[in-house]
Amino acid sequence: MKRSLNSASNPESKTKQQKLSSSKFDLKWKNHGDPIKNLYPLIYLDGPSVSSSTKIASFDLDDTLITTKSGKNFPTSVSDWKFLSSKVVAKLKSLYNEGYKLVIFTNQAGIEKKKLKLQDFQTKIIDIINELEIPMQVFISTGENIYRKPYINAWNFCVLQCNGSSVANLSESFYVGDAAGRPNGWAVGRKKDFSCSDRKFAKNIDIQFHTPEEFFDGAAPYLKFDWGSIDPVKALSDHSEDSFENICSNDVEMIIFVGSPAAGKSFFAKNYLEPKLYVIVNRDTLKTIEKCISLAEESLKNKKSVVIDNTNPSKEARKVFINLAKKYNVSVRCFYFQTPLELAHHLNMFRQVVSGGTIRRVPDVGFNTFKSKFQPPTKEEGFEIITINFFPKFHTNEEKALFLQWT
């Protein structure tokens, strides 16, 4: 389907609310998802002037469609932007006339971190669309949530809920972005890409991916990129199944976990120990170490086995529980999780998306804190050490499919 541009515009309004809607197209800002810290995780621009289509031409925003006028890495004001090149406008208008629906997917974690005002960013988007003179949908992930690329939840919401009766044809759709995993010096004077999230986003959707240079300038694809994270398909194929069916003791005992954030500890406790009536002691749930100690002691008093489901990186962190076990004359085992760091980072993102965002990712500072405090467990501390080569079990095919996405 070919279309022609309609340049008819509505009268401009002086109110803030109307300034946040397009003066040239009937586009309105909307919200989706459960609020996090009083902020919707997905905020999007849509309206009847955006026609549904089987062909989706989707783009990142910064350093893909626009760059700063000032030449600085980050904009200094709402108006500090310009199109990446004159080719951008011409190409987008050509795609529009060919019947593509034009969509922007952009990560803006600075909104949640209060480094970027949402209203300022919305105003900027409206200015860009008005200058393009093309109606577009825009989907903004406002923080480190499940709508953030390379997750595909924003894409799914776009094509399933905001595309009328049209079914997106993946073979005719594509995504363009600058976060492509290219190394320092990939072109003369060019720095390393800050991530590979745009390439991963397209890969997870299973659509074509292009960098801005390839799409707008006709540059040859750069193939020496780095995904920058674990290959989940390879990780799954390389995994050999361990059996933990006989891991529990018939006697009252204490198990102390040692492992980085997202190493699989809570999953292991929930699936292998809790069904055998072990009491799970977890600081994330109980909030304080004092409550952890109290629950552990109460359980041992009542002759119940206990699992200390914390990271327990240091000898000092483990000692308080070892002493408690000695007080009640029960044996102690240390389950030492050997989860590689790359896999832990992947699991960190996986559990956020598989939980629908109810479990938020552990920030990098959590991993760094564990590393700074870590002391390998030794039998001299007073326990038997069992190494755990953890890998998740999938309860559904949907969970497995989510694990196999790049993060």
Side-chain angles (χ1 to χ4, degrees):
M1 177 183 71
K2 293 196 174 184
R3 296 184 288 229
S4 61
L5 292 171
N6 181 357
S7 61
S9 62
N10 299 321
E12 291 189 6
S13 168
K14 296 180 180 179
T15 67
K16 283 185 178 180
Q17 183 60 37
Q18 288 172 321
K19 282 182 73 176
L20 289 178
S21 63
S22 173
S23 63
K24 296 195 175 185
F25 305 102
D26 187 12
L27 300 174
K28 304 293 183 185
W29 289 104
K30 303 176 184 180
N31 308 314
H32 180 69
D34 296 325
I36 302 169
K37 299 178 183 178
N38 297 316
L39 178 67
Y40 285 97
L42 183 67
I43 294 177
Y44 66 103
L45 187 67
D46 194 14
S49 60
V50 179
S51 300
S52 63
S53 178
T54 59
K55 302 188 295 183
I56 311 296
S58 54
F59 301 85
D60 181 39
L61 179 64
D62 297 310
D63 294 317
T64 297
L65 298 181
I66 64 170
T67 187
T68 60
K69 282 182 184 176
S70 63
K72 295 185 178 180
N73 289 334
F74 299 99
T76 58
S77 68
V78 176
S79 60
D80 184 17
W81 68 271
K82 64 179 181 179
F83 289 114
L84 194 66
S85 74
S86 59
K87 296 177 183 178
V88 169
V89 177
K91 185 68 172 178
L92 294 185
K93 288 185 175 181
S94 175
L95 290 167
Y96 180 81
N97 289 329
E98 290 171 23
Y100 280 89
K101 180 169 79 167
L102 292 120
V103 185
I104 293 172
F105 294 98
T106 179
N107 291 344
Q108 297 295 332
I111 296 172
E112 183 181 293
K113 296 173 182 176
K114 300 188 183 303
K115 295 181 179 179
L116 174 64
K117 291 182 179 179
L118 173 59
Q119 191 173 90
D120 285 350
F121 190 72
Q122 290 174 312
T123 298
K124 179 178 177 178
I125 291 291
I126 295 299
D127 289 344
I128 292 168
I129 290 175
N130 286 343
E131 191 161 329
L132 277 171
E133 296 187 313
I134 305 172
M136 300 179 72
Q137 287 178 333
V138 181
F139 294 84
I140 307 169
S141 169
T142 59
E144 302 282 354
N145 58 59
I146 62 171
Y147 296 98
R148 182 176 176 82
K149 297 174 296 182
Y151 296 148
I152 63 172
N153 288 8
W155 167 273
N156 287 340
F157 180 71
C158 168
V159 298
L160 297 176
Q161 303 296 325
C162 305
N163 199 33
S165 59
S166 298
V167 177
N169 185 330
L170 298 186
S171 66
E172 290 189 291
S173 302
F174 59 84
Y175 183 71
V176 181
D178 66 302
R182 294 167 294 185
N184 193 44
W186 61 266
V188 177
R190 300 302 296 268
K191 294 181 180 179
K192 176 183 178 180
D193 290 339
F194 70 92
S195 79
C196 196
S197 59
D198 287 330
R199 191 184 296 274
K200 291 175 183 176
F201 182 62
K203 181 71 172 178
N204 288 340
I205 298 168
D206 195 23
I207 57 177
Q208 297 176 63
F209 172 75
H210 310 281
T211 65
E213 293 77 16
E214 294 162 8
F215 190 74
F216 294 114
D217 300 330
Y222 189 90
L223 302 178
K224 297 180 181 179
F225 61 87
D226 182 0
W227 289 103
S229 62
I230 194 170
D231 179 346
V233 174
K234 186 175 187 302
L236 185 59
S237 65
D238 288 350
H239 170 64
S240 57
E241 189 72 29
D242 286 340
S243 175
F244 301 111
E245 298 304 318
N246 299 315
I247 201 72
C248 299
S249 173
N250 293 323
D251 300 320
V252 175
E253 69 167 342
M254 175 183 285
I255 295 174
I256 298 176
F257 285 170
V258 174
S260 73
K265 303 181 299 298
S266 294
F267 181 97
F268 189 97
K270 190 78 174 174
N271 284 271
Y272 298 107
L273 301 177
E274 191 174 51
K276 300 296 184 180
L277 304 182
Y278 281 69
V279 176
I280 298 177
V281 176
N282 179 275
R283 187 169 180 174
D284 289 341
T285 303
L286 298 173
K287 304 304 180 185
T288 69
I289 192 64
E290 290 76 18
K291 289 183 179 179
C292 290
I293 295 169
S294 177
L295 178 58
E297 182 160 20
E298 179 187 351
S299 301
L300 293 179
K301 275 184 182 178
N302 293 321
K303 308 296 183 183
K304 295 179 180 179
S305 290
V306 176
V307 52
I308 311 303
D309 176 24
N310 299 324
T311 57
N312 299 310
S314 66
K315 291 180 180 179
E316 182 181 359
R318 301 187 287 263
K319 185 176 180 181
V320 63
F321 293 105
I322 294 170
N323 289 341
L324 192 59
K326 287 180 179 178
K327 178 180 176 180
Y328 289 93
N329 197 31
V330 301
S331 62
V332 187
R333 290 190 293 167
C334 168
F335 283 15
Y336 184 14
F337 284 74
Q338 306 295 298
T339 311
L341 185 60
E342 265 198 335
L343 177 57
H345 279 294
H346 183 73
L347 292 171
N348 186 33
M349 308 298 279
F350 166 70
R351 70 181 178 185
Q352 175 170 272
V353 73
V354 82
S355 72
T358 57
I359 300 174
R360 299 209 69 187
R361 61 179 285 276
V362 177
D364 288 343
V365 66
F367 287 89
N368 294 335
T369 298
F370 176 83
K371 182 179 179 180
S372 68
K373 294 182 177 180
F374 180 66
Q375 295 172 298
T378 64
K379 63 181 181 179
E380 285 74 23
E381 293 178 61
F383 46 39
E384 178 187 1
I385 299 175
I386 309 294
T387 57
I388 303 293
N389 295 303
F390 175 78
F391 204 85
K393 289 174 63 176
F394 307 112
H395 297 110
T396 65
N397 288 333
E398 182 183 10
E399 284 188 2
K400 183 177 179 180
L402 289 172
F403 176 85
L404 292 175
Q405 292 200 338
W406 291 89
T407 56

